[in-house]
Amino acid sequence: MKEYYEKTKGRSTRPLLMEFLKYIPSDVSNHTAYDLGCGVGNDTNFMSENGYRVKAVDISADAFVYMNKKFGKLEHVEQIVSSLEDLTLEPCNLVNASLVLPFVKSSDFDVVLERIAVAIKSKGFFVGNFFGPKDDWKNKFVVKSVDEVKSYVKSFDILYIKETEVDAPSAGGPVKHWHIIDIICQKK
């Protein structure tokens, strides 16, 4: 994991979370957000700067070493070392799951998604990405079609959904074919 954190420490906020700015409520000072698979904390920092109290979650404590080096002590951020499979989510207003859900164990995927949906309060948001069936990593990680993604968010209004295919390098190295489904939705 340290190699991944090292390669991504210079990145900025992910574009999908920037897209979420169009939908962010005007006052989120009492709102709680989860940043699942937070890595070095680029999205965590963005959410904190925009007023959220953030629960930053990563499977490796090394992520927080990099986060603290990059940003110092982030105000209103709780750091949690946990896999998504073992995480207990408390009620929240936002869950950001940026390129992390495909790495959940396939046998636990539906349970993890259900926990996320239940934790998000009414009028709260889900911002996340899924690997589509044409992704080069389709035989290694969880992939979902657009229709399958939509089925996971039946209790939400879809505000934004975009399917993208592009050949580009992964953080770990070689160029691969990415098939990404981005979604922003609000719980009814």
Side-chain angles (χ1 to χ4, degrees):
M1 295 299 290
K2 285 183 180 180
E3 182 181 335
Y4 172 80
Y5 302 134
E6 191 63 36
K7 289 183 178 186
T8 60
K9 68 183 181 183
R11 290 187 179 165
S12 59
T13 304
R14 294 223 180 243
L16 186 60
L17 196 57
M18 297 297 290
E19 179 73 24
F20 173 65
L21 277 176
K22 296 177 183 175
Y23 309 103
I24 194 169
S26 58
D27 181 15
V28 297
S29 58
N30 292 315
H31 288 203
T32 300
Y34 277 90
D35 188 10
L36 304 181
C38 64
V40 300
N42 299 316
D43 290 354
T44 299
N45 181 59
F46 178 81
M47 290 187 287
S48 177
E49 285 180 341
N50 278 281
Y52 283 96
R53 291 175 311 198
V54 184
K55 294 178 183 281
V57 180
D58 203 278
I59 197 165
S60 173
D62 290 333
F64 301 113
V65 171
Y66 281 89
M67 183 185 295
N68 295 338
K69 281 182 186 174
K70 183 170 182 175
F71 298 108
K73 175 73 175 128
L74 290 173
E75 205 171 323
H76 307 296
V77 173
E78 178 184 349
Q79 299 175 346
I80 302 169
V81 177
S82 177
S83 69
L84 297 190
E85 293 87 345
D86 294 330
L87 180 66
T88 300
L89 289 103
E90 297 173 2
C92 62
N93 307 93
L94 169 63
V95 170
N96 180 55
S98 182
L99 293 176
V100 67
L101 294 174
F103 302 100
V104 169
K105 293 177 199 164
S106 60
S107 59
D108 294 324
F109 191 83
D110 289 348
V111 171
V112 169
L113 263 287
E114 178 64 21
R115 281 191 210 141
I116 290 170
V118 168
I120 298 172
K121 296 177 183 179
S122 177
K123 302 299 179 195
F125 297 89
F126 173 79
V127 178
N129 324 91
F130 296 81
F131 288 169
K134 297 178 190 170
D135 195 278
D136 276 353
W137 289 345
K138 64 184 168 278
N139 295 321
K140 293 163 100 174
F141 303 110
V142 177
V143 298
K144 298 295 175 187
S145 69
V146 170
D147 287 340
E148 288 172 312
V149 170
K150 288 178 180 179
S151 75
Y152 284 110
V153 294
K154 287 181 181 172
S155 60
F156 291 75
D157 291 322
I158 296 173
L159 305 174
Y160 174 91
I161 190 164
K162 181 179 178 185
E163 187 173 14
T164 304
E165 290 189 57
V166 64
D167 293 328
S170 68
V175 170
K176 68 176 279 292
H177 185 75
W178 293 92
H179 182 193
I180 303 291
I181 301 164
D182 295 328
I183 189 164
I184 299 171
C185 50
Q186 184 174 30
K187 196 166 187 181
K188 296 176 184 176

